[in-house]
Amino acid sequence: MRSLVSRMFMTLLLSGLFATSILAQTSAKEAAANLRLQLSELQIRKAEAQALDEQLEEDLRPENIERSFAGFGSTHPERLRELRRRQLEITRARLRIELDEIDRSQTCLEAAIGEAETVAYWQSAGIDVGIPLRRTTCVINYR
């Protein structure tokens, strides 16, 4: 009877460890997949911001600023052009800051994906890494 109880205990213990290992492996795989999804969304946002930056660069050309006020009559058109140029430069500076934030977030996410994939690989090989998967915060505020 005692032998049966000890075998049952060992079986339950081993099955619990196996289930925990599978759960952790799934968790690491899910974390990597979630991070890859965040990275793809970030890359889409980066492409949109780069397109807007190119448009702003085109709009900042003097002939385009002048053309934007072609139909307006003013006693001081040079002030209007200067104001428009400053507005475009401020918008472009903010966009450049956002692009820098996106680059930092992209680097952070790529590192986190590598870590999550490494942990998932070790777990799939049955190696107990002993290191819990970090909660990575590579978040950018979308404006």
Side-chain angles (χ1 to χ4, degrees):
M1 181 72 177
R2 190 172 189 179
S3 170
L4 180 62
V5 170
S6 85
R7 276 193 231 152
M8 285 177 42
F9 176 72
M10 290 301 284
T11 304
L12 287 173
L13 180 65
L14 290 175
S15 65
L17 289 175
F18 180 71
T20 303
S21 172
I22 289 174
L23 181 62
Q25 180 179 348
T26 303
S27 176
K29 285 182 181 179
E30 288 174 355
N34 184 28
L35 290 168
R36 279 191 295 277
L37 178 63
Q38 289 179 22
L39 181 62
S40 67
E41 290 171 353
L42 190 68
Q43 288 170 337
I44 290 169
R45 178 65 187 125
K46 182 178 181 178
E48 291 171 351
Q50 286 173 335
L52 182 57
D53 186 52
E54 290 172 9
Q55 181 61 45
L56 285 170
E57 186 172 341
E58 182 68 23
D59 290 347
L60 273 165
R61 293 177 54 197
E63 61 270 15
N64 290 333
I65 292 174
E66 194 169 323
R67 193 176 304 137
S68 68
F69 291 107
F72 295 97
S74 174
T75 57
H76 301 285
E78 65 280 352
R79 287 184 186 169
L80 290 175
R81 289 191 295 268
E82 181 61 23
L83 179 63
R84 177 68 177 153
R85 186 188 60 76
R86 275 190 270 146
Q87 287 173 339
L88 291 171
E89 285 177 348
I90 290 169
T91 302
R92 189 170 187 214
R94 287 182 184 150
L95 185 62
R96 292 280 171 98
I97 291 169
E98 185 176 341
L99 281 167
D100 290 343
E101 290 175 2
I102 289 172
D103 286 339
R104 281 191 293 278
S105 293
Q106 183 174 356
T107 302
C108 180
L109 281 171
E110 288 169 349
I113 289 169
E115 180 182 336
E117 287 176 344
T118 300
V119 170
Y121 174 76
W122 287 342
Q123 289 173 345
S124 71
I127 301 171
D128 182 23
V129 291
I131 305 170
L133 192 59
R134 291 186 292 144
R135 294 286 179 214
T136 306
T137 54
C138 303
V139 180
I140 184 166
N141 296 327
Y142 288 65
R143 294 179 187 128

